[in-house]
Amino acid sequence: MEQERELLVAYGQWRKNDSVSAEDQLEQLVDIVAALLSLSVPADSMHLYELGDTGALAMEYEFDGRDFLLVLAGRQEPAWGSVLVHAVGAARGASWAVLHWPEEQPDEELVHKISDGVTVLDRTHLEAAVAGLSPLADLVRAALRRRQQHVPLAELLGVGASAPQQPDLTPLARRMSPLPVETKLWAGHRPRCCSSGGLSPNGPPVWPVCPTSTC
């Protein structure tokens, strides 16, 4: 719990400090992301890469026996194509995602340009991990499994999902259509319905007897 509290404090200070340069802000974010990932992945599996001269960084790590790459992208809108090309090279076949951290909604151009099998996370995903709603490594893996360019946090966590359909408790006899009854004539006799039994005023129920030739 102590580490989680320290993460909350560090993230709060990082969010409030708008006087530093974008480069310094990204470097501080790397420390936060590394701390979040270390809650779930081996620390010695994490490696940081610079994606050319784009200004973006990428964190490689191993989680649950698989290799992942998380690209930390800020406001590189004019260079999204270059960022993605470098990310593909750095991934080397690993599953990878982009964390677009400046906004609560990812850049539309970025979402449009990423290829199939890649997903974009935004600042809401980062803050959910900081708040302890879900480990960051789990969020990245869950988003990649959806195979969508972007999965909103609420959808990823199942918040607001439709309730499961309630079972139909109507008796089976009411849900079934009446069974067809075939009517046949034997030896030219017209079928007749036998009246139901009734209660005798002075004794047990009396049930009329139908002659077999007419009933």
Side-chain angles (χ1 to χ4, degrees):
M1 292 299 295
E2 184 64 27
Q3 186 176 4
E4 286 79 354
R5 284 194 292 268
E6 291 177 357
L7 272 170
L8 280 171
V9 173
Y11 182 79
Q13 293 175 345
W14 174 79
R15 278 290 307 275
K16 292 179 181 179
N17 189 2
D18 55 0
S19 61
V20 299
S21 63
E23 291 78 10
D24 291 340
Q25 193 176 23
L26 180 58
E27 290 181 3
Q28 294 170 9
L29 177 62
V30 168
D31 294 335
I32 295 173
V33 170
L36 288 170
L37 290 175
S38 67
L39 299 176
S40 306
V41 308
D44 57 0
S45 74
M46 291 188 290
H47 305 282
L48 188 66
Y49 297 94
E50 291 184 352
L51 299 182
D53 57 355
T54 63
L57 301 175
M59 180 74 73
E60 180 187 46
Y61 62 93
E62 180 184 342
F63 178 54
D64 213 10
R66 292 181 55 191
D67 294 328
F68 291 85
L69 185 79
L70 182 61
V71 177
L72 309 179
R75 295 179 174 86
Q76 283 95 359
E77 288 88 348
W80 282 135
S82 180
V83 169
L84 299 180
V85 168
H86 282 87
V88 170
R92 295 172 294 179
S95 301
W96 63 283
V98 180
L99 175 59
H100 184 234
W101 50 268
E103 306 294 339
E104 293 185 356
Q105 293 290 332
D107 183 84
E108 292 183 1
E109 183 181 354
L110 170 62
V111 174
H112 178 71
K113 285 187 175 182
I114 62 172
S115 57
D116 293 339
V118 184
T119 190
V120 179
L121 287 76
D122 53 54
R123 196 171 68 195
T124 63
H125 299 85
L126 175 64
E127 293 183 347
V130 172
L133 295 179
S134 179
L136 181 58
D138 286 341
L139 286 174
V140 173
R141 181 176 61 180
L144 285 168
R145 283 178 173 174
R146 296 293 188 93
R147 304 191 66 82
Q148 300 176 21
Q149 280 80 1
H150 176 254
V151 183
L153 176 64
E155 181 180 339
L156 200 59
L157 296 179
V159 178
S162 58
Q165 185 176 0
Q166 295 297 323
D168 190 353
L169 301 180
T170 306
L172 181 60
R174 294 185 181 179
R175 285 185 278 137
M176 294 178 60
S177 300
L179 296 176
V181 178
E182 184 179 4
T183 302
K184 293 184 178 180
L185 299 178
W186 283 276
H189 292 285
R190 179 172 300 188
R192 296 173 55 186
C193 295
C194 300
S195 59
S196 60
L199 290 177
S200 174
N202 301 316
V206 176
W207 301 94
V209 179
C210 295
T212 56
S213 62
T214 60
C215 184

